[in-house]
Amino acid sequence: MKHSGIEGSMDRVSNNRDRIIAIASAELGVREATGNNDGPRVEEYLGYTHLGSGYAWCASFISWVYAQAGFAQPRNPWSPALFPKARVYWKGGAFVQGHKNKFEAADVFGIYGTTAKRINHVGLVKVMQGNYLISIEGNSNNRVESRRRHVRTIYALADWL
């Protein structure tokens, strides 16, 4: 039986989330060539956002993954740009009123850098486990890796679907 209306729309979003996580998961283990934000695959991520070798690539990775799943946005190499007000549903340890109130797979998380005084690292939520999220993130220890992060270390979350 085919779904219609809201149910059908929710199924599409769920399928999109699964597709995004599958694409990101397939990249796990991709490493920089020399530890200087370089290497063929890293340069492919960077190239998608019009940058070349040598730039931080966590936001480019997120943008590239979404593109592989068929989405035109986000497409930005700058981490803070992945958190426009209209897409942010969790910030500074609390849900934003008027937005959704649960973390979901394929949402984008941002970590605030005190030295940079802004979000300076991003990744994808793969799954929640209690107060921890399991991530898939690029440019983490010079590679694409999955990490376990406590929610209190997360500054913001944005939903791009």
Side-chain angles (χ1 to χ4, degrees), residues 43-74:
E43 290 165 22
E44 187 176 332
Y45 308 145
L46 286 164
Y48 178 71
T49 56
H50 310 291
L51 291 178
S53 177
Y55 289 92
W57 52 276
C58 59
S60 293
F61 173 73
I62 299 299
S63 296
W64 180 89
V65 167
Y66 267 77
Q68 301 312 300
F71 294 92
Q73 297 292 326

Side-chain angles (χ1 to χ4, degrees), residues 3-14:
H3 294 288
S4 61
I6 293 174
E7 282 184 14
S9 175
M10 291 175 74
D11 286 348
R12 280 190 298 279
V13 170
S14 179

Side-chain angles (χ1 to χ4, degrees), residues 42-109:
V42 170
E43 290 165 22
E44 187 176 332
Y45 308 145
L46 286 164
Y48 178 71
T49 56
H50 310 291
L51 291 178
S53 177
Y55 289 92
W57 52 276
C58 59
S60 293
F61 173 73
I62 299 299
S63 296
W64 180 89
V65 167
Y66 267 77
Q68 301 312 300
F71 294 92
Q73 297 292 326
R75 188 172 188 167
N76 202 306
W78 195 51
S79 298
L82 301 187
F83 298 89
K85 188 174 183 176
R87 300 226 178 243
V88 172
Y89 68 89
W90 195 83
K91 188 173 181 180
F95 288 100
V96 176
Q97 189 173 3
H99 293 271
K100 73 180 191 178
N101 62 358
K102 68 176 184 171
F103 296 8
E104 293 183 277
D107 287 343
V108 179
F109 70 84

Side-chain angles (χ1 to χ4, degrees), residues 92-157:
F95 288 100
V96 176
Q97 189 173 3
H99 293 271
K100 73 180 191 178
N101 62 358
K102 68 176 184 171
F103 296 8
E104 293 183 277
D107 287 343
V108 179
F109 70 84
I111 295 176
Y112 189 89
T114 53
T115 303
K117 297 183 181 163
R118 64 171 173 82
I119 291 172
N120 68 347
H121 184 70
V122 297
L124 291 172
V125 174
K126 181 178 180 183
V127 68
M128 291 301 299
Q129 293 179 342
N131 287 327
Y132 292 87
L133 65 84
I134 306 304
S135 71
I136 300 174
E137 48 197 276
N139 205 13
S140 176
N141 297 310
N142 300 331
R143 65 182 178 261
V144 178
E145 69 177 355
S146 181
R147 297 185 63 173
R148 185 173 185 257
R149 295 186 177 274
H150 196 282
V151 294
R152 75 174 164 258
T153 68
I154 306 301
Y155 178 72
L157 283 126

